[in-house]
Amino acid sequence: MKIKKEVIKKILLIAVFLLQASCSHQLNKVPSPDYSWPFYQGNVLRNGYVETEFKPQLGRKWTKFLGSISGSYAPQEYSSPVADDNRIFTASLSGKGVRAFNENSGILLWYFKVEKGVEGSPALYEGRVYFGGNDGYLYAVNSETGLLVWKFNADAEILSSPVADEGIIYFSAANDILYALDAKTSKLIWRYREGRGAEPFSVRATSSPAVKDGFVYAGFSNGTVAAIGAYDGSLLWKKRITGNKSAKFRDVDSSPVIDEDRLYISSYDAGLFALNVASGEIIWGFEEAGSSKTVVYDKESIYYSDNEGRVYSIAKKTGIAKWKFNLEEGVATTPIVIGNYLSFGSSYRYLYLLDKFNGKEIDRFNTPSGFSSSPIFYKGSLLALSNTGYLYSLGR
C-alpha cells in the first residue's frame, strides 16, 4: 500500500505541474531589470536576460571600495549585486557584510556587518534583504534601514543566493540541504537533503535554487539536479548529470535556469545539459567542458562560460555551438544578456562586452584584480564587484 501511495502522489505532482505549465504560455513574465534586479541573475527563473536598448559603452560612473583587501590573490568576491528603488545592495567577503548604496551617486546608505563575510548574492523581497553568511546564518534585514529582522541558523556555510516566491524564501546550504522558510517569520516550512554519497571532493560553491509554477529546482554536490515541491518539499524527480566517475569534482554548483518547458544547468566535470522541466529527462548535452557557472539565454541562444576560459553561444533547440570566444587569460564569470550584447567578467583583469550575435568584442573595462561574480544591469548601468572589493557603476 505504501508503494501505491507514493506512486499516486508522484502522478498527482506531475499532473499539477502540467496544469500549471499549460496556464503559463507567455515567455517568463518577470519584472523589467530597468526597474528591478531583485535576485541573482535578475529573477526567480535565474535567466539573466534583459530586453532593453543598451548603449554599448563601459565608461566609469562611480566606484566604491567595500572593505579591507586581505591579499593580492584572486578570487576574493563571488557575490553579485541586486538592485531596486534606486538602491544597489552588495554583499562582500573581504568587506564583511552587506551594504546599500544610492544608485545615482554611489553614496553609502547603510552597512550590516557579518564578521565572517558573505559570498552568496543577496535577494530582495517585500522590503527586506535576504542573504546567507559564512557563519551559517540566513539573515533578513530591513531594506530601508539595514536593521536585522531575523536570522536562521542553517549549521553550515551559505554560499548560495536565496530566492523568494509567494511568501517563502528558498536557499541551499553547503551541507547539501535545501531549505524553505516563511519569509516573514523565518519559520521552517520544510527542508530537503541530498546525500553526498561517496564523492571524495567537492568544489567550494553551492547551487542557488530557481522557482517556477510551484516547484523549486536545485543542483547538489553529488552530481544531481532535483525538482522539489515548493510547498511541501516532496521530490518530483532527480537526475544525475555528472560524467566520468573518475573525475575529481562532480558537483552541480550552477543555478538551474528555467525556460518554459526546459531547464538548463551545467556540472563541474561533464558540461551543459538541457532537461525536460517536468520529468528531468535529458534533451541534449554540450560536453566540450564542464563549468560551475550559470548559463543565460535569450529567444534563440544559450550563453555558457566553461572552466577552460571559453564563452559559447549555443542553439537552444539543438545544443550546437554557434560561436566561441576565447579569453586571453583566466576564466569567465556567469554572463548576462543586455539587449543585443553579452557581458561577463574575467578572473584576469577585464569586464567584457560582446556582440551576442557573432561573439565579437565591443568594449572592455580593465581592473587589476579581475572578477569572479557576474555583473548586473540596472537603469542603464552595468554594476560589477571586482575581486579586490571595488564596486563599479559603468555606462554612458
Side-chain angles (χ1 to χ4, degrees), residues 96 149 333 375:
K96 296 185 177 182
V149 179
T333 69

Side-chain angles (χ1 to χ4, degrees), residues 82-251:
V82 291
D84 199 6
D85 294 331
N86 298 316
R87 292 169 296 167
I88 311 299
F89 302 87
T90 309
S92 172
L93 177 59
S94 64
K96 296 185 177 182
V98 175
R99 291 167 173 82
F101 297 93
N102 178 276
E103 180 268 332
N104 292 310
S105 64
I107 292 174
L108 179 67
L109 302 175
W110 54 256
Y111 165 50
F112 185 91
K113 187 175 183 179
V114 178
E115 186 61 40
K116 292 187 177 181
V118 179
E119 293 186 53
S121 301
L124 302 176
Y125 185 69
E126 295 187 347
R128 295 178 182 178
V129 187
Y130 297 89
F131 54 91
N134 285 4
D135 57 5
Y137 284 93
L138 185 80
Y139 292 88
V141 170
N142 184 291
S143 63
E144 291 282 350
T145 65
L147 296 176
L148 178 69
V149 179
W150 55 253
K151 64 179 183 178
F152 175 87
N153 188 1
D155 293 319
E157 288 181 313
I158 303 171
L159 308 176
S160 69
S161 175
V163 67
D165 188 52
E166 296 190 13
I168 303 176
I169 190 90
Y170 305 96
F171 70 96
S172 294
N175 55 3
D176 275 327
I177 298 179
L178 174 65
Y179 288 90
L181 307 181
D182 184 296
K184 289 185 178 180
T185 67
S186 80
K187 180 181 177 181
L188 177 66
I189 298 173
W190 56 259
R191 63 180 185 173
Y192 173 88
R193 181 162 199 161
E194 185 60 42
R196 288 179 180 266
E199 315 305 321
F201 300 101
S202 176
V203 178
R204 192 176 182 279
T206 307
S207 175
S208 298
V211 183
K212 188 183 180 187
D213 293 335
F215 291 90
V216 185
Y217 304 86
F220 296 93
S221 65
N222 65 357
T224 62
V225 185
I228 300 152
Y231 310 118
D232 62 3
S234 57
L235 180 66
L236 175 64
W237 56 257
K238 181 170 66 174
K239 186 72 175 181
R240 182 178 289 271
I241 61 169
T242 52
N244 190 340
K245 290 185 178 180
S246 65
K248 186 175 181 179
F249 300 109
R250 297 194 284 274
D251 304 54

